[in-house]
Amino acid sequence: MLNQMKTYQMYIGGQWVLASDNQTRKITDPANGNLIGVVPEATVMEVNEAVAAARNAFDNTNWGSADNALNRAQLMMALANKLRENAAKFAELDTLNCGKPLVESEGDVADSANCLDFFAGLATKTMGETVAVPMNMQSMVVREPIGVVAQIVPWNYPLLMGVWKIAPALAAGCTIVMKPSELTPLSILELAKLTEEVGIPAGVVNIITGIGEVAGAALVNHPDIDKIAFTGGTDTGMKVMTAAAKGIKNVTLELGGKNPVVVFADANLDKSAEWIAFAGMANQGQVCSAGSRILVEKSVYNEVIERVAKIVTHIKLGHGLDEGVRMGPVISKEQQDKVMSYIEKAKAEKCRLICGGSLPKGEQFAKGNFIEPTIFADVEPHHTLFKEEVFGPVMSFTSFDTEDEAVKLANDTEYGLAAGVFTESVTKAHRVVKQIRAGIIWVNNYHPTFNELPWGGYKKSGIGRELGKYGIEAYLETKQININLDEGQLGWY
């Protein structure tokens, strides 16, 4: 187990630096409040230096050129292998930093390495096209890296969300300034060390640490940034989009969700119950795609609640490094208070509490940000719990009578990130998934995510897609070139 508190520095232009005013932030374990790291608190000066380093690496080196694509791919694969070599350290660090069970962190590290390999494979495949046009022209379309990108990632998947953005940007030939969450910067700083070890050139990857109001705002408003990629809350996403609009910058936003899980009476309830519990409770419910609104056909409504509640009440709560733990703390005391306020609101609105609803008792929970996994039943569309994203271990159950009603309830949200459908009827599944307005839909499962497929949502869940071939597209510009093959005079004048 990692037991030494480390002092970190930011990575800018191939150098490890402190903040110019020497301000720092303490990073603590949300399970017990223990100090695990100290990081710099970036000022606008460090943001400017990081952008300048990325700008220089993009404008004055061959990093993004087409003839360097194979080298980029090889460096990315080397980074993936380095990550695998250090997998245990990274998994433990993410668990200590954000609280999730170790088994989840181990999966995140493996997925991160695979993501680097996947996009390394695309680095040499940003193909253009030739087009037949009139006027004796040779016309073509080429794809080029978009430039210097600002990337801001959240605290719920510190390493994985970082790699989701770093990998396609590197493959495309962009240079990067990344700001991880001020709560969970450690694994991204450790990843920066690996980029240095494998030989990714100075200035290509730059990591700044600090709060959104200072470092994040300076980054997204910087005139030398060509694209902004942000994952986080919808309210902050609106601010990022406003900044992008002022600078006419390309933007990718992956925001919130209030995701429905539709359970029909013909579903295999023996197989479905654990998936349903996993939909809402994985990573303490701190997932933008969490299936927190469970919509159940009335004839099996009480049975589904009973089955899921039986699973949820047996989830082992504790420090993510402890044996058998499947739910850790939420990220902070502020998040704990926020989630508890939603629980109290649901109680006040007369939603029926099935299980949980309190802070767990016991010495092992006293210093951490733990919340009992909680289920409410009889939640109606006008209730707060039906409408607002909680981002914690809280699930709501609502009944429906007909397929049409199920679809209407599923779409009754300002978000559109993800959804789940449970049914043994193939035809019903196809009918329903075609009508639900969400970017990701699972049938008879929930949460599996693949590097090969696009990730993103409809409505207020964001703009653009990550992962798959769509992920690299987000970091490429499209250029039209027309070459005149006619050596004669134009004759226009």
Side-chain angles (χ1 to χ4, degrees), residues 283-436:
N283 199 25
Q284 297 76 248
Q286 298 173 134
V287 189
C288 54
S289 57
S292 58
R293 286 193 300 137
I294 316 302
L295 313 175
V296 186
E297 193 165 354
K298 192 166 289 183
S299 62
V300 293
Y301 180 65
N302 289 322
E303 183 180 358
V304 171
I305 292 172
E306 181 180 347
R307 285 171 178 261
V308 175
K310 185 177 180 180
I311 294 168
V312 166
T313 53
H314 285 87
I315 293 175
K316 184 175 180 179
L317 197 61
H319 196 291
L321 296 181
D322 290 346
E323 185 71 27
V325 165
R326 287 297 181 267
M327 181 174 289
V330 297
I331 186 63
S332 65
K333 181 65 167 64
E334 291 75 15
Q335 187 68 12
Q336 184 189 52
D337 291 343
K338 177 186 173 184
V339 174
M340 289 306 300
S341 73
Y342 276 110
I343 289 173
E344 294 307 316
K345 182 76 169 178
K347 292 175 181 177
E349 291 179 350
K350 307 302 182 186
C351 299
R352 179 162 56 101
L353 179 64
I354 300 297
C355 63
S358 302
L359 303 182
K361 297 177 175 60
E363 186 178 345
Q364 70 270 37
F365 305 119
K367 295 181 180 180
N369 311 314
F370 294 93
I371 299 171
E372 292 178 343
T374 299
I375 290 176
F376 283 95
D378 305 341
V379 178
E380 299 298 328
H382 64 275
H383 288 142
T384 305
L385 200 57
F386 189 93
K387 296 182 291 185
E388 297 186 17
E389 184 179 35
V390 176
F391 224 67
V394 182
M395 299 170 69
S396 70
F397 280 75
T398 304
S399 67
F400 65 84
D401 286 308
T402 66
E403 186 177 314
D404 287 344
E405 184 185 3
V407 171
K408 183 178 179 181
L409 288 168
N411 287 330
D412 187 10
T413 173
E414 62 183 0
Y415 299 106
L417 182 56
V421 176
F422 287 84
T423 176
E424 291 294 284
S425 169
V426 174
T427 54
K428 184 185 294 182
H430 277 280
R431 285 196 306 270
V432 171
V433 298
K434 287 176 67 174
Q435 296 176 76
I436 294 178

Side-chain angles (χ1 to χ4, degrees), residues 73-403:
Q74 291 169 338
L75 288 170
M76 291 175 66
M77 287 187 282
L79 182 59
N81 289 333
K82 275 284 186 182
L83 186 54
R84 292 187 182 99
E85 290 170 13
N86 293 273
K89 180 179 80 171
F90 274 87
E92 189 173 328
L93 188 59
D94 259 7
T95 288
L96 287 170
N97 200 173
C98 73
K100 66 176 63 183
L102 183 61
V103 65
E104 292 192 30
S105 295
E106 290 169 341
D108 291 351
V109 176
D111 286 347
S112 297
N114 293 339
C115 184
L116 285 162
D117 275 341
F118 175 80
F119 281 105
L122 293 184
T124 57
K125 301 172 183 65
T126 54
M127 307 298 185
E129 58 184 327
T130 58
V131 182
V133 296
M135 295 183 62
N136 198 21
M137 293 280 185
Q138 175 67 62
S139 296
M140 63 190 76
V141 176
V142 298
R143 311 305 306 280
E144 298 177 345
I146 205 165
V148 178
V149 298
Q151 301 180 326
I152 300 176
V153 294
W155 44 257
N156 56 336
Y157 289 88
L159 177 66
L160 185 61
M161 293 290 98
V163 171
W164 276 21
K165 287 178 169 50
I166 289 172
L170 292 181
C174 296
T175 58
I176 297 162
V177 181
M178 173 170 284
K179 192 196 87 65
S181 167
E182 63 269 25
L183 299 176
T184 56
L186 303 187
S187 57
I188 288 297
L189 290 171
E190 292 287 353
L191 185 70
K193 295 179 183 178
L194 299 189
T195 69
E196 188 176 41
E197 288 181 23
V198 301
I200 291 177
V204 170
V205 176
N206 305 273
I207 310 296
I208 57 171
T209 53
I211 62 172
E213 292 83 353
V214 177
L219 183 57
V220 299
N221 285 288
H222 200 290
D224 282 340
I225 292 294
D226 298 306
K227 174 188 172 64
I228 304 167
F230 171 82
T231 298
T234 301
D235 290 344
T236 306
M238 291 177 184
K239 295 176 183 177
V240 171
M241 191 170 181
T242 300
K246 289 178 180 177
I248 317 296
K249 300 180 191 301
N250 192 298
V251 63
T252 299
L253 301 174
E254 203 265 276
L255 307 176
K258 190 64 180 177
N259 310 290
V261 177
V262 182
V263 185
F264 289 100
D266 63 355
N268 184 322
L269 300 187
D270 287 332
K271 295 179 180 179
S272 300
E274 189 173 6
W275 279 113
I276 296 165
F278 186 66
M281 296 301 177
N283 199 25
Q284 297 76 248
Q286 298 173 134
V287 189
C288 54
S289 57
S292 58
R293 286 193 300 137
I294 316 302
L295 313 175
V296 186
E297 193 165 354
K298 192 166 289 183
S299 62
V300 293
Y301 180 65
N302 289 322
E303 183 180 358
V304 171
I305 292 172
E306 181 180 347
R307 285 171 178 261
V308 175
K310 185 177 180 180
I311 294 168
V312 166
T313 53
H314 285 87
I315 293 175
K316 184 175 180 179
L317 197 61
H319 196 291
L321 296 181
D322 290 346
E323 185 71 27
V325 165
R326 287 297 181 267
M327 181 174 289
V330 297
I331 186 63
S332 65
K333 181 65 167 64
E334 291 75 15
Q335 187 68 12
Q336 184 189 52
D337 291 343
K338 177 186 173 184
V339 174
M340 289 306 300
S341 73
Y342 276 110
I343 289 173
E344 294 307 316
K345 182 76 169 178
K347 292 175 181 177
E349 291 179 350
K350 307 302 182 186
C351 299
R352 179 162 56 101
L353 179 64
I354 300 297
C355 63
S358 302
L359 303 182
K361 297 177 175 60
E363 186 178 345
Q364 70 270 37
F365 305 119
K367 295 181 180 180
N369 311 314
F370 294 93
I371 299 171
E372 292 178 343
T374 299
I375 290 176
F376 283 95
D378 305 341
V379 178
E380 299 298 328
H382 64 275
H383 288 142
T384 305
L385 200 57
F386 189 93
K387 296 182 291 185
E388 297 186 17
E389 184 179 35
V390 176
F391 224 67
V394 182
M395 299 170 69
S396 70
F397 280 75
T398 304
S399 67
F400 65 84
D401 286 308
T402 66
E403 186 177 314

Side-chain angles (χ1 to χ4, degrees), residues 44-56:
V44 174
M45 181 182 295
E46 286 76 59
V47 175
N48 291 340
E49 290 173 351
V51 175
R55 186 83 262 166
N56 179 65

